[in-house]
Amino acid sequence: MTELDTATEAFVAHRDLLFTVAYELLGSAADAEDVLQETWLRWSGVDLAEVRDQRAYLVRVTTRQALMRLRTLRRRRESYLGEWLPEPLLTTPDVAEDVALADSVSMAMLLVLETLTPTERAVFVLRDVFAVDYDEIAEAVGKTQAAVRQIAHRARAHVAARRPRGTASAAQTRAALAAFEEAVRTGGLQRLLDVLAPDVVLLGDGGGNVQTVRRPVVGADRVARLLLGGMRKVPAPATLEPAQVNGHPALLLHLDGRLDCVIAVRIDDGRISGLYAVRNPQKLSRLDRATTVRR
């Protein structure tokens, strides 16, 4: 076996992990794939005899590449038309069995991670999700171990203050989504109000390509009336299909047989407190197949 064959074998073995790291840092599968290409180009030229821990080395390179891309993306997102939401992923059922991993890739958590600085995000993800040692993180982000520990503490407190108040089980989420789907399908305003938290927030992402709400819609009554009014105006046959998105139950809205929107939710105290509707066609291209995410 040549050294290139050995390098390829190692990269393939860790590819799902590297994709997950890049995706959690970027919130974009397309950009995560680009980062993996850049990681491979660097990895294929490395003298493997000098690499003590291949997994750690690959995670380090992926993190550096993702951080550079994240800083560029942050500037682009400032001019994004309307609200920006992470690119949704169809995930395999086993993801839900790893509660920490499912939580870390959820739409709600990815939006929380967006409120961190790039370095804080990298440190939090590497330490709290992937349990990377502080010395490895320090090398990946170009900081001292002492600084990384401080950043981790700060990021952890920031995330804790913004994450869902109580972790909802898959069964609770499915129940809330089933009630939501039934209410939307039948046009039942009171049924919808019963499943929505009073302070529910609806965010929509059309990317300037399709129509959606351009600003957050807040409050159960406003959100419910907007959703029911919107469904009544849909000209084509509409169906809501349950799916596993980003490690959690979600709904896929099909219009006339075509995927139009992914609806993910955040659950607090058994009720829907966040609705994330992704309609941007550029973010729906991977929804025809499941993506493997792994720690």
Side-chain angles (χ1 to χ4, degrees):
M1 182 181 289
T2 67
E3 183 160 291
L4 182 58
D5 290 334
T6 303
T8 302
E9 188 177 82
F11 185 83
V12 170
H14 296 299
R15 191 188 188 286
D16 292 338
L17 162 70
L18 302 179
F19 173 86
T20 308
V21 170
Y23 176 72
E24 292 204 21
L25 292 182
L26 301 168
S28 163
D31 286 296
E33 292 287 3
D34 288 344
V35 163
L36 259 61
Q37 287 289 331
E38 293 160 0
T39 299
W40 164 248
L41 289 174
R42 284 156 179 77
W43 175 245
S44 62
V46 167
D47 181 357
L48 297 184
E50 300 294 322
V51 178
R52 176 176 52 84
D53 184 332
Q54 293 181 345
R55 179 185 186 274
Y57 188 96
L58 284 164
V59 167
R60 188 161 65 243
V61 174
T62 299
T63 300
R64 288 173 179 167
Q65 296 304 312
L67 272 175
M68 287 191 292
R69 185 168 289 255
L70 180 57
R71 293 181 178 113
T72 300
L73 290 176
R74 283 288 175 91
R75 292 191 290 272
R76 289 184 197 162
R77 288 173 191 171
E78 291 174 0
S79 58
Y80 194 81
L81 292 176
E83 294 291 322
W84 179 92
L85 291 174
E87 182 180 349
L89 299 176
L90 275 184
T91 48
T92 51
D94 61 299
V95 176
E97 297 171 8
D98 185 338
V99 176
L101 177 60
D103 176 62
S104 72
V105 297
S106 70
M107 297 287 278
M109 178 56 74
L110 290 175
L111 283 173
V112 172
L113 295 180
E114 280 290 310
T115 64
L116 298 171
T117 68
T119 301
E120 286 174 340
R121 184 169 185 167
V123 170
F124 178 85
V125 166
L126 292 178
R127 183 60 189 168
D128 284 52
V129 180
F130 297 98
V132 176
D133 291 338
Y134 283 111
D135 59 337
E136 290 288 345
I137 299 174
E139 195 167 348
V141 301
K143 302 284 185 181
T144 65
Q145 284 194 51
V148 164
R149 290 177 183 276
Q150 290 181 336
I151 292 169
H153 177 76
R154 186 168 66 243
R156 202 172 290 127
H158 182 98
V159 170
R162 290 161 177 80
R163 74 193 317 161
R165 291 185 286 273
T167 302
S169 68
Q172 289 174 317
T173 304
R174 281 194 298 270
L177 274 171
F180 173 83
E181 187 273 336
E182 175 71 11
V184 170
R185 186 176 58 81
T186 61
L189 177 59
Q190 188 55 53
R191 285 187 179 184
L192 196 50
L193 291 173
D194 288 343
V195 77
L196 296 178
D199 57 350
V200 61
V201 178
L202 167 65
L203 300 176
D205 181 343
N209 299 306
V210 294
Q211 185 177 2
T212 187
V213 293
R214 296 288 294 272
R215 294 181 178 83
V217 180
V218 182
D221 189 70
R222 289 186 65 200
V223 169
R225 293 181 187 279
L226 177 68
L227 289 171
L228 295 180
M231 289 300 291
R232 283 194 291 267
K233 294 176 184 177
V234 172
T239 60
L240 283 167
E241 173 193 351
Q244 191 84 0
V245 173
N246 289 64
H248 294 270
L251 293 171
L252 306 183
L253 172 65
H254 289 85
L255 298 183
D256 201 18
R258 178 184 57 82
L259 179 61
D260 179 83
C261 182
V262 173
I263 303 170
V265 298
R266 166 175 168 160
I267 306 291
D268 280 298
D269 302 324
R271 302 174 85 179
I272 296 174
S273 60
L275 277 162
Y276 314 115
V278 181
R279 291 197 68 212
N280 185 347
Q282 296 176 355
K283 295 186 178 182
L284 303 181
S285 61
R286 294 177 66 99
L287 273 294
D288 60 344
R289 61 194 184 279
T291 297
T292 302
V293 293
R294 183 165 295 155
R295 285 203 290 170

